[in-house]
Amino acid sequence: MSDRPNLLADCENCFGLCCVALPFAVSADFAADKRAGEPCPNLRTDFRCGIHTRLRDKGFRGCTVYDCFGAGQQVSQVTFGGKSWREDPGSARSMYAAFPVMRQLHELLRYLTDALTMEPARSLHGDLRAALDATVRLTESDAETLVELDVAAHRAGVNELLLRTSELVRAGVRGKRKERRGADLMGAKLKAADLRGANLRGACLIAADLRGADLRTADLIGADFRDADLRGADLTGALFLTQPQLNAARGDAATVLPATLARPSHWSAAPGG
């Protein structure tokens, strides 16, 4: 992702928006309750996290699996011209409302950018490029326009293109491809399963056993991998897989990842660990 810096979170140029705008509740992911618009108690005056290197140890695992795809700095530096909610308290409510909309737009940009690299979907590249350009223009809107945007309708149009892209790419996978879109696979026993070219869009894979599973060219957009066991799994060419999905899962040194994604620091350094 180094060639797409606008889609990488740049916390140095953000006003800690994910730490203020978003709510969280006491759970396995968060050690405290926080209302939307209320600064996290760990947020320092310089907008940095006071426990960034100890988030998991301190019970804030949810923070380590979140990614704004660059929406934070876009809202902070572009939408609001570099003036923070601390400098201009009157802008706070509008800033907090614009941030989650921008995050959705940047997530779509991430998927569209990925789709444009997929050679089997070349026939759709013109439409994908048009959708990407339209989404970029939306990210350049003012706060009022962002808040009033029917982002669900925009997502639906983009999603149709992404689905067609997925079908074209997965058509090249031999054999019968599993269709498990939106399936409830929580805790499923899928060790060493052949899921090549499978449609797992939006599937619930929480705590699923995917050790040694073959997920090559599987469509994983929106799949929930929280606590899924990916040790030894092969994710080569997985479609629309994101870093937050990997960060939420468990893996090891034997997990094969797409070249554009990083091995999470909390994963085991040894195979089978």
Side-chain angles (χ1 to χ4, degrees):
M1 295 290 289
S2 60
D3 60 333
R4 290 171 266 172
N6 60 315
L7 300 182
L8 290 173
D10 179 5
C11 298
E12 293 292 327
N13 286 300
C14 177
F15 300 138
L17 295 184
C18 64
C19 307
V20 183
L22 307 179
F24 52 71
V26 172
S27 63
D29 292 323
F30 295 101
D33 292 321
K34 188 188 84 66
R35 296 189 301 271
E38 175 184 294
C40 173
N42 298 311
L43 184 66
R44 303 187 322 199
T45 56
D46 62 359
F47 302 114
R48 297 188 182 193
C49 175
I51 59 169
H52 180 70
T53 61
R54 297 170 290 145
L55 283 166
R56 285 182 172 267
D57 295 338
K58 293 293 185 178
F60 287 86
R61 183 179 64 168
C63 298
T64 69
V65 303
Y66 180 81
D67 193 328
C68 74
F69 300 106
Q73 68 261 25
Q74 180 72 12
V75 170
S76 299
Q77 302 301 326
V78 179
T79 312
F80 286 87
K83 181 172 287 189
S84 76
W85 47 270
R86 283 195 173 119
E87 295 173 277
D88 181 13
S91 70
R93 182 175 296 183
S94 180
M95 191 178 295
Y96 302 158
F99 173 64
V101 177
M102 186 70 78
R103 198 271 183 186
Q104 291 190 65
L105 294 175
H106 271 240
E107 184 180 24
L108 292 178
L109 288 176
R110 167 65 159 74
Y111 293 143
L112 287 164
T113 302
D114 280 358
L116 282 164
T117 69
M118 299 176 189
E119 186 62 28
R122 176 162 291 278
S123 62
L124 292 177
H125 282 192
D127 291 337
L128 289 165
R129 172 60 63 182
L132 186 145
D133 291 344
T135 305
V136 168
R137 287 194 293 272
L138 289 174
T139 67
E140 297 168 348
S141 303
D142 60 29
E144 184 178 356
T145 301
L146 285 168
V147 173
E148 293 179 353
L149 175 66
D150 187 347
V151 71
H154 185 70
R155 285 189 73 100
V158 170
N159 187 59
E160 180 60 31
L161 276 175
L162 297 176
L163 180 57
R164 290 165 59 194
T165 298
S166 171
E167 291 170 346
L168 287 171
V169 176
R170 292 184 299 110
V173 178
R174 293 181 179 180
K176 186 176 181 180
R177 300 183 302 278
K178 293 180 174 62
E179 292 293 326
R180 305 306 303 272
R181 182 177 183 180
D184 184 357
L185 298 170
M186 181 183 289
K189 305 302 181 183
L190 296 168
K191 184 178 180 180
D194 184 358
L195 296 168
R196 287 174 295 174
N199 183 354
L200 292 166
R201 297 168 65 89
C204 175
L205 289 158
I206 296 174
D209 184 356
L210 288 159
R211 287 174 294 168
D214 191 342
L215 289 155
R216 287 177 291 173
T217 321
D219 186 342
L220 303 178
I221 194 169
D224 191 339
F225 279 105
R226 282 177 292 169
D227 288 325
D229 194 341
L230 293 172
R231 287 177 293 173
D234 191 344
L235 292 151
T236 303
L239 308 185
F240 307 119
L241 179 65
T242 64
Q243 194 66 49
Q245 287 173 297
L246 290 179
N247 292 347
R250 292 182 290 146
D252 62 10
T255 307
V256 183
L257 302 178
T260 55
L261 298 175
R263 195 174 305 276
S265 60
H266 66 276
W267 281 16
S268 173

